Amino acid sequence: MSLDYSTQELMIIASAREIKDNERIFVGMRLPITAYGVARLTHAPNAVGLFESGIARYEPADGMLYTMCDAPNQLGAAWTCGLIQIMGMLSGGRVHAGFIGGAEIDKFGNINTSYIGGIENPKVKLPGSGGAADIAAMSQRLIAIMNHEKHRLVEKVEFITSPGFLDGGDARKRAGLPGAGPSAVITDRAILRPHGPTNELHLSTIHPGHSQAEILENTGWDLKIAPDLSETPEPSSAEMDALHQIDKDGYWR
Amino acid sequence: MSLDYSTQELMIIASAREIKDNERIFVGMRLPITAYGVARLTHAPNAVGLFESGIARYEPADGMLYTMCDAPNQLGAAWTCGLIQIMGMLSGGRVHAGFIGGAEIDKFGNINTSYIGGIENPKVKLPGSGGAADIAAMSQRLIAIMNHEKHRLVEKVEFITSPGFLDGGDARKRAGLPGAGPSAVITDRAILRPHGPTNELHLSTIHPGHSQAEILENTGWDLKIAPDLSETPEPSSAEMDALHQIDKDGYWR
Amino acid sequence: MQEKLMDLKEAVASLVSDGDSIVLGAALENAIPFAATHELIRQGFTGLNMIAPISDMSTDMLIGAGCCNEITGAWVGNVSAGLGHNYRRATEKGIPHRVKVNDYSNFTLGMALFGGAYGLPYIAVKSLLGSDIPKSNPLLKVTDNPFTEGEDPVVLVPALKPDVAFLSMQRADRFGNAHYWGSYGLTQESSIAAEKIIVLADEIVEPEVIASDPSRVVIPGFGVNAVCHIPAACHPSPLIGCWTRDNEFFHEYHKLTRDPEGFEAWIKEWVLDIPDHAAYRAKLGERLEQFRIRGKALSAPANYAVE
Amino acid sequence: MQEKLMDLKEAVASLVSDGDSIVLGAALENAIPFAATHELIRQGFTGLNMIAPISDMSTDMLIGAGCCNEITGAWVGNVSAGLGHNYRRATEKGIPHRVKVNDYSNFTLGMALFGGAYGLPYIAVKSLLGSDIPKSNPLLKVTDNPFTEGEDPVVLVPALKPDVAFLSMQRADRFGNAHYWGSYGLTQESSIAAEKIIVLADEIVEPEVIASDPSRVVIPGFGVNAVCHIPAACHPSPLIGCWTRDNEFFHEYHKLTRDPEGFEAWIKEWVLDIPDHAAYRAKLGERLEQFRIRGKALSAPANYAVE
């Protein structure tokens, strides 16, 4: 019998699976911070969560957070310090993974959170990088979380805020970027991963209840299929228990 | 009637006179830290003392210090922090003056605290720069304290640890150094100051009881005389009172 | 030590000039001194360049009020509520006028201010390679690492020195010495880099309290130009140990400022028609009280005894 | 969290290798973990490169014992007593063997370690221009500021990443989280830059004590490899709140190590013939007690309550 879960709950659990034990992770807010909590309670009890403002935590905050700087995220932290110390860990190569979102991602995992419609007279001025460009450049690997819509998963982003594999192949390495680049893009329909020498994002797993045709239809480029395509494993009862422990109020249900 | 004072007490008071009110000063240890205390109690009540380890103080420590990091220098400090924050104030142009000593100084105020007899196989390996090279480079002005001996005040130091006016004239400026360079060299016999377009150190004031001939005899270059040569003013009774308040045990008497 | 207690109105009038570059809270989402934002708007400053890693509602208000011509930072919006409407109107439609955006990432803005604070002409980083940010911000230079044989690109970030920094601190003495705890973002670097520093203290304490713990000092008091006693100066943002976040206030602002008229009404009600922060607190009334921290979760003491 | 309590002997044996570059106290003249110096000497390490802004008696002992081939730093000697005799014998006469000196100033060493900590390939500074230090240390490069038209020389300091950092902290928990207060020199940067970190804690406390004040944490516990409980590990140097300085001990060492034979006798008595730091403390006996801080000058509390 399959468990009852929402799409967002599945995305959180899929994100949690990307975190390994003992890793240092830029967890961001909302969905990724919840994923970090689930990972801590399941397979990654020694993962450390990092927040750009200057916070490191062994345990997720006890209490609702509207921003990473809220009091519950500071009380009992492992370290409260400055931005340079925490983001510097990233720059120093000490951060294993980071989660970021974005308005647009392209087939090489480049992400735009800056401009739609040109720099000079943009149609839409998005909020900008925050720490995302740094995380994308310098985290050992990068996990992107996106809604799977045709205008969000595009052939080529018009402005690269956060670099993925740039033009593909070894372009990222040639550009001098220290981190290895995107390892997973988790959407509400599927998980994409880079594959082969081009490092193009391929369809890797399909979330239960979604079809390959629907996913191709909702992707803005000619999405290739990974040779080992499979279904995204459903949440286990242990994973769901952990999630319910974190998300007491059922915000993500 | 002249007051009773030792040569070192005169040097301390002469050093104190180099500190202006509201200034931030790298005070070092021993003689300069005492001078800072005297300045605070007389004409510079708002001077701030800085210590390279990461300490800023409004008032000199209450208690004997063997090193700048001793407990009395930390208790009640204005700030205890890291080396970068404090030395960075210097680099940021926020420090008005610093005191340094040395094994050798030359006629352009360059100081050697590194090597005697070559870098490869030195005859004497001195302790090195510590913060002195930084203070000499970046403090708005520099005050050197030296024993006035022929082998210490030399034509040209063989290794410039802490830059003065380099080869003289505008050489210092051309080298790109932000601070203005030495403003005074206080010895146990006299005070030398840069003079004229060459910025060569000139005899500026002679301590009471010393003669011009004796000073020239004990200087390792052909020391020129400043046009306004005078006698170093004797300590005033207010200055001596302040000194006695700082130097309770009469260490410098 | 010199007494530095000043009325915020007077501090702003005497220390800020039109066209200044200004840091107004650099701790990211906590300790944003909104009281200073209000005062800048009331005094009608123009041409300001707002510098911050994360520019929250405070910057959006300054844009909407026409005070701000330029934004130097990594992110602008309304952190818990979404986009900043005034920011979008200004950058997309020139309402009330165009605002120039100097794009950085958090880390590179941190390095720019670190360089400004500590006299480094520029900082070489491995971030922003491959990103288009160096194309949109011509201050950044991509060059080669001179220590490596062969190609090894680096991005050079020039130092940034703000004119004025406003900072919220939990407690300060009348001489400008202050204690701050909790995450501080770029508070230290941005204020040391700044030409002038204005501290907004939630509480004024005796000098002995600050002197009891010099390691709790984040920026040195001798660099501070004015200290203003403004309880809840950071409302609606939180200040650790003093105030929690008024989330609804951010959401209401977001909802009510969707169009320029809505913003005009909002700014009139909450800023322009209010003489000072005491009146703002009075207007908030009981609402403010629910965000006051009354509990105790106290730090273990540190001993500085000398014997 | 992982338990990291370890015997110092075991920590040194398992985490240090011959030829390593080592930070052994970076707070300048306080908090020098001499207990680690003794253990490195007893275990007979060779080829070490000792990194510190101010290298006090600890480095001089390592040179005399033949453990150290290289010194990277700004100053070497015996701060309150004068020159370091072993340092002079090694650099001037090759006794017990030559020691290479990588000259820095305090600020440029700080920048090198800052670069190492935070992944900056090099740092551009305005210090050391006109100094001969860049001639004696070929790691430093003088170049032109690419942001300025015309000549504007800068010195480039490449990043420095030590292999191991030993640090004295006032209190730590068994997971490696620690509190430190008082001036800290380059403690934070040098240990974050280091590949491995060994904390020598004067006291082991419950995790709740450290967690009560995350702003008192100078280096993050998750980066620590081992925490060793060694009271007075820093003797004869001071540790704020715990121990004052044993000045005479520095002077005695200075007097007794004027010639190699004197040093041999001293190191035998105080290090080689002593099994561990407990025995060292026992040997000091009543002498040590006079440096124990018994008074109280406690910090004002900081509140982290959430409501």
Side-chain angles (χ1 to χ4, degrees), chain A residues 52-53 66 68 74 81 83 115 123-127 129-131 134 160-161 175, chain C residues 29 74-76 87 91-92 103 105-107 127 129 131-132 153 183-185 247:
Chain A
E52 296 154 59
S53 54
Y66 289 88
M68 65 174 85
Q74 313 245 12
C81 54
L83 181 148
Y115 296 93
K123 203 173 129 258
V124 184
K125 179 66 187 85
L126 299 163
S129 158
D134 305 310
I160 298 178
T161 311
Chain C
E29 291 118 4
W75 197 94
V76 197
Y87 169 64
T91 52
E92 296 166 14
D103 284 315
S105 62
N106 278 348
F107 185 63
S127 192
L129 293 164
S131 166
D132 287 331
S183 63
Y184 63 80
N247 296 297

mmCIF file of all heavy atoms in Angstrom, chain A residues 52-53 66 68 74 81 83 115 123-127 129-131 134 160-161 175, chain C residues 29 74-76 87 91-92 103 105-107 127 129 131-132 153 183-185 247:
data_model
loop_
_atom_site.group_PDB
_atom_site.id
_atom_site.type_symbol
_atom_site.label_atom_id
_atom_site.label_comp_id
_atom_site.label_asym_id
_atom_site.label_seq_id
_atom_site.Cartn_x
_atom_site.Cartn_y
_atom_site.Cartn_z
ATOM 1 N N GLU A 52 23.576 31.693 5.011
ATOM 2 C CA GLU A 52 24.461 32.736 4.489
ATOM 3 C C GLU A 52 24.693 33.929 5.422
ATOM 4 O O GLU A 52 25.707 34.594 5.343
ATOM 5 C CB GLU A 52 23.900 33.253 3.162
ATOM 6 C CG GLU A 52 23.871 32.176 2.097
ATOM 7 C CD GLU A 52 22.820 32.417 1.044
ATOM 8 O OE1 GLU A 52 22.888 33.469 0.407
ATOM 9 O OE2 GLU A 52 21.934 31.567 0.876
ATOM 10 N N SER A 53 23.734 34.203 6.282
ATOM 11 C CA SER A 53 23.864 35.368 7.159
ATOM 12 C C SER A 53 24.952 35.169 8.207
ATOM 13 O O SER A 53 25.398 36.131 8.828
ATOM 14 C CB SER A 53 22.540 35.615 7.870
ATOM 15 O OG SER A 53 22.133 34.429 8.537
ATOM 16 N N TYR A 66 10.466 32.382 9.217
ATOM 17 C CA TYR A 66 10.094 33.151 8.035
ATOM 18 C C TYR A 66 11.338 33.584 7.271
ATOM 19 O O TYR A 66 11.325 33.751 6.077
ATOM 20 C CB TYR A 66 9.235 34.359 8.415
ATOM 21 C CG TYR A 66 7.864 33.945 8.866
ATOM 22 C CD1 TYR A 66 7.612 33.637 10.192
ATOM 23 C CD2 TYR A 66 6.828 33.818 7.940
ATOM 24 C CE1 TYR A 66 6.358 33.222 10.597
ATOM 25 C CE2 TYR A 66 5.569 33.412 8.334
ATOM 26 C CZ TYR A 66 5.337 33.111 9.670
ATOM 27 O OH TYR A 66 4.101 32.697 10.063
ATOM 28 N N MET A 68 15.934 33.108 7.510
ATOM 29 C CA MET A 68 17.006 32.344 8.148
ATOM 30 C C MET A 68 17.540 33.038 9.397
ATOM 31 O O MET A 68 18.184 32.414 10.226
ATOM 32 C CB MET A 68 18.135 32.104 7.152
ATOM 33 C CG MET A 68 18.848 33.357 6.693
ATOM 34 S SD MET A 68 20.285 33.002 5.652
ATOM 35 C CE MET A 68 19.554 32.851 4.052
ATOM 36 N N GLN A 74 18.776 30.971 15.511
ATOM 37 C CA GLN A 74 19.994 31.436 16.180
ATOM 38 C C GLN A 74 20.171 30.734 17.532
ATOM 39 O O GLN A 74 21.290 30.413 17.929
ATOM 40 C CB GLN A 74 19.933 32.959 16.405
ATOM 41 C CG GLN A 74 19.482 33.722 15.170
ATOM 42 C CD GLN A 74 20.517 34.652 14.570
ATOM 43 O OE1 GLN A 74 21.693 34.617 14.922
ATOM 44 N NE2 GLN A 74 20.089 35.479 13.649
ATOM 45 N N CYS A 81 27.935 33.917 13.348
ATOM 46 C CA CYS A 81 29.119 34.695 12.979
ATOM 47 C C CYS A 81 28.742 35.622 11.838
ATOM 48 O O CYS A 81 27.600 36.068 11.755
ATOM 49 C CB CYS A 81 30.245 33.735 12.590
ATOM 50 S SG CYS A 81 29.761 32.563 11.297
ATOM 51 N N LEU A 83 28.801 36.798 7.550
ATOM 52 C CA LEU A 83 28.613 36.220 6.221
ATOM 53 C C LEU A 83 29.922 35.690 5.655
ATOM 54 O O LEU A 83 29.965 34.637 5.024
ATOM 55 C CB LEU A 83 28.019 37.289 5.290
ATOM 56 C CG LEU A 83 27.708 36.898 3.846
ATOM 57 C CD1 LEU A 83 26.500 37.692 3.342
ATOM 58 C CD2 LEU A 83 28.875 37.144 2.897
ATOM 59 N N TYR A 115 17.594 38.811 -14.631
ATOM 60 C CA TYR A 115 16.938 39.668 -15.631
ATOM 61 C C TYR A 115 16.135 38.831 -16.617
ATOM 62 O O TYR A 115 16.624 37.817 -17.103
ATOM 63 C CB TYR A 115 17.984 40.447 -16.435
ATOM 64 C CG TYR A 115 18.805 41.424 -15.628
ATOM 65 C CD1 TYR A 115 20.029 41.030 -15.079
ATOM 66 C CD2 TYR A 115 18.375 42.731 -15.429
ATOM 67 C CE1 TYR A 115 20.794 41.926 -14.336
ATOM 68 C CE2 TYR A 115 19.136 43.627 -14.693
ATOM 69 C CZ TYR A 115 20.342 43.217 -14.148
ATOM 70 O OH TYR A 115 21.092 44.106 -13.425
ATOM 71 N N LYS A 123 12.359 43.389 -18.864
ATOM 72 C CA LYS A 123 10.918 43.231 -18.751
ATOM 73 C C LYS A 123 10.588 42.894 -17.292
ATOM 74 O O LYS A 123 9.655 43.428 -16.712
ATOM 75 C CB LYS A 123 10.454 42.105 -19.681
ATOM 76 C CG LYS A 123 8.987 42.195 -20.081
ATOM 77 C CD LYS A 123 8.661 41.135 -21.132
ATOM 78 C CE LYS A 123 7.444 40.336 -20.706
ATOM 79 N NZ LYS A 123 7.690 39.023 -20.157
ATOM 80 N N VAL A 124 11.367 41.996 -16.744
ATOM 81 C CA VAL A 124 11.218 41.673 -15.324
ATOM 82 C C VAL A 124 12.588 41.757 -14.660
ATOM 83 O O VAL A 124 13.549 41.172 -15.138
ATOM 84 C CB VAL A 124 10.651 40.251 -15.112
ATOM 85 C CG1 VAL A 124 10.419 39.989 -13.620
ATOM 86 C CG2 VAL A 124 9.357 40.054 -15.890
ATOM 87 N N LYS A 125 12.660 42.522 -13.561
ATOM 88 C CA LYS A 125 13.896 42.537 -12.767
ATOM 89 C C LYS A 125 13.665 41.630 -11.573
ATOM 90 O O LYS A 125 12.890 41.948 -10.675
ATOM 91 C CB LYS A 125 14.220 43.972 -12.329
ATOM 92 C CG LYS A 125 15.492 44.076 -11.467
ATOM 93 C CD LYS A 125 16.745 43.721 -12.260
ATOM 94 C CE LYS A 125 18.012 43.655 -11.397
ATOM 95 N NZ LYS A 125 18.190 42.347 -10.764
ATOM 96 N N LEU A 126 14.312 40.495 -11.601
ATOM 97 C CA LEU A 126 14.208 39.533 -10.503
ATOM 98 C C LEU A 126 15.091 39.985 -9.344
ATOM 99 O O LEU A 126 15.907 40.898 -9.492
ATOM 100 C CB LEU A 126 14.624 38.155 -11.018
ATOM 101 C CG LEU A 126 13.734 37.626 -12.168
ATOM 102 C CD1 LEU A 126 14.431 36.482 -12.883
ATOM 103 C CD2 LEU A 126 12.386 37.194 -11.608
ATOM 104 N N PRO A 127 14.928 39.352 -8.164
ATOM 105 C CA PRO A 127 15.667 39.847 -6.991
ATOM 106 C C PRO A 127 17.193 39.774 -7.098
ATOM 107 O O PRO A 127 17.889 40.532 -6.445
ATOM 108 C CB PRO A 127 15.155 38.949 -5.857
ATOM 109 C CG PRO A 127 13.799 38.512 -6.308
ATOM 110 C CD PRO A 127 13.911 38.356 -7.794
ATOM 111 N N SER A 129 21.030 37.496 -7.264
ATOM 112 C CA SER A 129 21.715 36.277 -6.845
ATOM 113 C C SER A 129 21.511 35.929 -5.384
ATOM 114 O O SER A 129 21.291 34.781 -5.037
ATOM 115 C CB SER A 129 23.220 36.429 -7.104
ATOM 116 O OG SER A 129 23.957 35.553 -6.303
ATOM 117 N N GLY A 130 21.588 36.922 -4.488
ATOM 118 C CA GLY A 130 21.800 36.554 -3.088
ATOM 119 C C GLY A 130 23.076 35.728 -3.049
ATOM 120 O O GLY A 130 24.057 36.064 -3.717
ATOM 121 N N GLY A 131 23.048 34.617 -2.352
ATOM 122 C CA GLY A 131 24.228 33.753 -2.319
ATOM 123 C C GLY A 131 24.240 32.692 -3.402
ATOM 124 O O GLY A 131 25.188 31.904 -3.479
ATOM 125 N N ASP A 134 27.275 32.246 -5.715
ATOM 126 C CA ASP A 134 28.432 31.727 -4.981
ATOM 127 C C ASP A 134 28.292 30.231 -4.732
ATOM 128 O O ASP A 134 29.249 29.470 -4.874
ATOM 129 C CB ASP A 134 28.567 32.447 -3.630
ATOM 130 C CG ASP A 134 28.641 33.946 -3.776
ATOM 131 O OD1 ASP A 134 29.464 34.415 -4.595
ATOM 132 O OD2 ASP A 134 27.872 34.664 -3.093
ATOM 133 N N ILE A 160 22.971 34.285 -17.122
ATOM 134 C CA ILE A 160 23.438 33.271 -16.162
ATOM 135 C C ILE A 160 23.768 33.971 -14.852
ATOM 136 O O ILE A 160 24.775 34.663 -14.735
ATOM 137 C CB ILE A 160 24.689 32.520 -16.672
ATOM 138 C CG1 ILE A 160 24.378 31.770 -17.972
ATOM 139 C CG2 ILE A 160 25.190 31.545 -15.598
ATOM 140 C CD1 ILE A 160 25.592 31.048 -18.557
ATOM 141 N N THR A 161 22.883 33.808 -13.870
ATOM 142 C CA THR A 161 23.220 34.293 -12.534
ATOM 143 C C THR A 161 24.124 33.264 -11.859
ATOM 144 O O THR A 161 25.207 33.599 -11.380
ATOM 145 C CB THR A 161 21.939 34.485 -11.690
ATOM 146 O OG1 THR A 161 20.992 35.229 -12.442
ATOM 147 C CG2 THR A 161 22.251 35.172 -10.380
ATOM 148 N N ALA A 175 36.238 27.419 -17.398
ATOM 149 C CA ALA A 175 35.951 28.754 -16.850
ATOM 150 C C ALA A 175 36.621 28.961 -15.489
ATOM 151 O O ALA A 175 36.637 30.080 -14.975
ATOM 152 C CB ALA A 175 34.444 28.955 -16.726
ATOM 153 N N GLU C 29 18.656 39.526 7.258
ATOM 154 C CA GLU C 29 17.226 39.716 7.535
ATOM 155 C C GLU C 29 16.905 40.128 8.970
ATOM 156 O O GLU C 29 15.753 40.357 9.301
ATOM 157 C CB GLU C 29 16.459 38.453 7.157
ATOM 158 C CG GLU C 29 16.447 38.235 5.651
ATOM 159 C CD GLU C 29 17.118 36.948 5.239
ATOM 160 O OE1 GLU C 29 17.520 36.182 6.125
ATOM 161 O OE2 GLU C 29 17.264 36.722 4.032
ATOM 162 N N ALA C 74 23.197 42.142 -3.592
ATOM 163 C CA ALA C 74 23.081 40.807 -4.160
ATOM 164 C C ALA C 74 21.628 40.386 -4.359
ATOM 165 O O ALA C 74 21.348 39.517 -5.169
ATOM 166 C CB ALA C 74 23.794 39.799 -3.263
ATOM 167 N N TRP C 75 20.706 40.989 -3.649
ATOM 168 C CA TRP C 75 19.309 40.539 -3.678
ATOM 169 C C TRP C 75 18.423 41.677 -3.221
ATOM 170 O O TRP C 75 18.710 42.309 -2.217
ATOM 171 C CB TRP C 75 19.148 39.337 -2.733
ATOM 172 C CG TRP C 75 17.913 38.524 -2.931
ATOM 173 C CD1 TRP C 75 17.786 37.402 -3.690
ATOM 174 C CD2 TRP C 75 16.615 38.754 -2.337
ATOM 175 N NE1 TRP C 75 16.491 36.924 -3.619
ATOM 176 C CE2 TRP C 75 15.748 37.727 -2.797
ATOM 177 C CE3 TRP C 75 16.097 39.723 -1.479
ATOM 178 C CZ2 TRP C 75 14.412 37.649 -2.426
ATOM 179 C CZ3 TRP C 75 14.763 39.649 -1.093
ATOM 180 C CH2 TRP C 75 13.933 38.610 -1.578
ATOM 181 N N VAL C 76 17.375 41.942 -3.951
ATOM 182 C CA VAL C 76 16.418 42.958 -3.507
ATOM 183 C C VAL C 76 15.015 42.393 -3.603
ATOM 184 O O VAL C 76 14.640 41.824 -4.626
ATOM 185 C CB VAL C 76 16.464 44.240 -4.378
ATOM 186 C CG1 VAL C 76 15.794 45.407 -3.652
ATOM 187 C CG2 VAL C 76 17.877 44.607 -4.763
ATOM 188 N N TYR C 87 10.818 48.286 -6.343
ATOM 189 C CA TYR C 87 12.042 47.870 -7.037
ATOM 190 C C TYR C 87 11.707 47.491 -8.478
ATOM 191 O O TYR C 87 12.370 47.936 -9.424
ATOM 192 C CB TYR C 87 12.644 46.695 -6.263
ATOM 193 C CG TYR C 87 13.752 45.936 -6.930
ATOM 194 C CD1 TYR C 87 14.967 46.550 -7.219
ATOM 195 C CD2 TYR C 87 13.609 44.577 -7.226
ATOM 196 C CE1 TYR C 87 16.002 45.823 -7.798
ATOM 197 C CE2 TYR C 87 14.626 43.852 -7.786
ATOM 198 C CZ TYR C 87 15.829 44.467 -8.083
ATOM 199 O OH TYR C 87 16.844 43.752 -8.641
ATOM 200 N N THR C 91 12.951 49.584 -11.785
ATOM 201 C CA THR C 91 13.882 48.996 -12.751
ATOM 202 C C THR C 91 13.207 48.671 -14.070
ATOM 203 O O THR C 91 13.854 48.679 -15.112
ATOM 204 C CB THR C 91 14.524 47.713 -12.169
ATOM 205 O OG1 THR C 91 13.465 46.860 -11.697
ATOM 206 C CG2 THR C 91 15.466 48.021 -11.032
ATOM 207 N N GLU C 92 11.894 48.384 -14.029
ATOM 208 C CA GLU C 92 11.224 47.975 -15.262
ATOM 209 C C GLU C 92 10.526 49.140 -15.965
ATOM 210 O O GLU C 92 10.438 49.172 -17.179
ATOM 211 C CB GLU C 92 10.209 46.858 -14.970
ATOM 212 C CG GLU C 92 10.894 45.585 -14.468
ATOM 213 C CD GLU C 92 9.920 44.579 -13.851
ATOM 214 O OE1 GLU C 92 8.691 44.733 -14.039
ATOM 215 O OE2 GLU C 92 10.404 43.647 -13.174
ATOM 216 N N ASP C 103 25.110 44.795 -9.594
ATOM 217 C CA ASP C 103 24.927 43.395 -9.176
ATOM 218 C C ASP C 103 26.171 42.795 -8.526
ATOM 219 O O ASP C 103 27.271 42.873 -9.071
ATOM 220 C CB ASP C 103 24.642 42.527 -10.423
ATOM 221 C CG ASP C 103 23.231 42.684 -10.940
ATOM 222 O OD1 ASP C 103 22.307 42.677 -10.121
ATOM 223 O OD2 ASP C 103 23.070 42.787 -12.180
ATOM 224 N N SER C 105 27.118 39.101 -5.890
ATOM 225 C CA SER C 105 26.604 37.982 -5.111
ATOM 226 C C SER C 105 26.903 38.306 -3.647
ATOM 227 O O SER C 105 27.670 39.223 -3.346
ATOM 228 C CB SER C 105 27.304 36.691 -5.514
ATOM 229 O OG SER C 105 28.692 36.799 -5.236
ATOM 230 N N ASN C 106 26.319 37.559 -2.738
ATOM 231 C CA ASN C 106 26.582 37.822 -1.316
ATOM 232 C C ASN C 106 28.077 37.812 -0.994
ATOM 233 O O ASN C 106 28.582 38.694 -0.314
ATOM 234 C CB ASN C 106 25.902 36.750 -0.443
ATOM 235 C CG ASN C 106 24.429 37.049 -0.212
ATOM 236 O OD1 ASN C 106 23.957 38.141 -0.496
ATOM 237 N ND2 ASN C 106 23.706 36.075 0.311
ATOM 238 N N PHE C 107 28.770 36.780 -1.459
ATOM 239 C CA PHE C 107 30.180 36.646 -1.098
ATOM 240 C C PHE C 107 31.021 37.758 -1.712
ATOM 241 O O PHE C 107 31.898 38.320 -1.058
ATOM 242 C CB PHE C 107 30.717 35.278 -1.523
ATOM 243 C CG PHE C 107 32.134 35.018 -1.081
ATOM 244 C CD1 PHE C 107 32.452 34.958 0.263
ATOM 245 C CD2 PHE C 107 33.159 34.823 -2.008
ATOM 246 C CE1 PHE C 107 33.758 34.715 0.693
ATOM 247 C CE2 PHE C 107 34.461 34.578 -1.594
ATOM 248 C CZ PHE C 107 34.760 34.523 -0.246
ATOM 249 N N SER C 127 34.628 32.942 -7.234
ATOM 250 C CA SER C 127 33.191 32.981 -7.495
ATOM 251 C C SER C 127 32.937 33.871 -8.715
ATOM 252 O O SER C 127 33.816 34.597 -9.156
ATOM 253 C CB SER C 127 32.431 33.524 -6.280
ATOM 254 O OG SER C 127 31.039 33.302 -6.439
ATOM 255 N N LEU C 129 32.864 33.326 -11.737
ATOM 256 C CA LEU C 129 33.378 32.871 -13.031
ATOM 257 C C LEU C 129 32.234 32.184 -13.752
ATOM 258 O O LEU C 129 31.459 31.447 -13.149
ATOM 259 C CB LEU C 129 34.536 31.887 -12.826
ATOM 260 C CG LEU C 129 35.794 32.520 -12.217
ATOM 261 C CD1 LEU C 129 36.730 31.432 -11.689
ATOM 262 C CD2 LEU C 129 36.504 33.386 -13.242
ATOM 263 N N SER C 131 29.546 33.264 -14.563
ATOM 264 C CA SER C 131 28.284 33.980 -14.336
ATOM 265 C C SER C 131 28.266 35.235 -15.205
ATOM 266 O O SER C 131 29.313 35.770 -15.580
ATOM 267 C CB SER C 131 28.184 34.357 -12.856
ATOM 268 O OG SER C 131 27.164 35.310 -12.651
ATOM 269 N N ASP C 132 27.063 35.712 -15.548
ATOM 270 C CA ASP C 132 26.960 36.964 -16.310
ATOM 271 C C ASP C 132 27.011 38.199 -15.410
ATOM 272 O O ASP C 132 26.948 39.327 -15.918
ATOM 273 C CB ASP C 132 25.672 36.973 -17.138
ATOM 274 C CG ASP C 132 25.765 36.028 -18.340
ATOM 275 O OD1 ASP C 132 26.894 35.809 -18.840
ATOM 276 O OD2 ASP C 132 24.717 35.507 -18.773
ATOM 277 N N PRO C 153 41.597 31.565 -14.378
ATOM 278 C CA PRO C 153 40.879 32.835 -14.247
ATOM 279 C C PRO C 153 40.426 33.112 -12.817
ATOM 280 O O PRO C 153 40.111 32.188 -12.063
ATOM 281 C CB PRO C 153 39.679 32.677 -15.182
ATOM 282 C CG PRO C 153 39.559 31.225 -15.461
ATOM 283 C CD PRO C 153 40.891 30.591 -15.213
ATOM 284 N N SER C 183 23.821 36.148 14.369
ATOM 285 C CA SER C 183 24.506 36.271 13.080
ATOM 286 C C SER C 183 24.576 37.745 12.684
ATOM 287 O O SER C 183 23.635 38.492 12.916
ATOM 288 C CB SER C 183 23.786 35.460 12.012
ATOM 289 O OG SER C 183 22.481 35.950 11.796
ATOM 290 N N TYR C 184 25.687 38.150 12.095
ATOM 291 C CA TYR C 184 25.829 39.582 11.798
ATOM 292 C C TYR C 184 26.070 39.911 10.328
ATOM 293 O O TYR C 184 26.259 41.083 9.988
ATOM 294 C CB TYR C 184 26.873 40.245 12.709
ATOM 295 C CG TYR C 184 28.291 39.762 12.581
ATOM 296 C CD1 TYR C 184 29.106 40.217 11.556
ATOM 297 C CD2 TYR C 184 28.829 38.884 13.495
ATOM 298 C CE1 TYR C 184 30.414 39.801 11.445
ATOM 299 C CE2 TYR C 184 30.146 38.452 13.396
ATOM 300 C CZ TYR C 184 30.927 38.902 12.376
ATOM 301 O OH TYR C 184 32.220 38.474 12.255
ATOM 302 N N GLY C 185 26.045 38.911 9.466
ATOM 303 C CA GLY C 185 26.162 39.204 8.037
ATOM 304 C C GLY C 185 27.418 39.997 7.724
ATOM 305 O O GLY C 185 28.528 39.547 7.977
ATOM 306 N N ASN C 247 5.986 39.336 10.963
ATOM 307 C CA ASN C 247 5.870 38.831 9.591
ATOM 308 C C ASN C 247 4.705 39.467 8.843
ATOM 309 O O ASN C 247 4.825 39.787 7.666
ATOM 310 C CB ASN C 247 5.709 37.316 9.612
ATOM 311 C CG ASN C 247 6.943 36.662 10.191
ATOM 312 O OD1 ASN C 247 8.026 36.774 9.634
ATOM 313 N ND2 ASN C 247 6.782 36.026 11.338
#
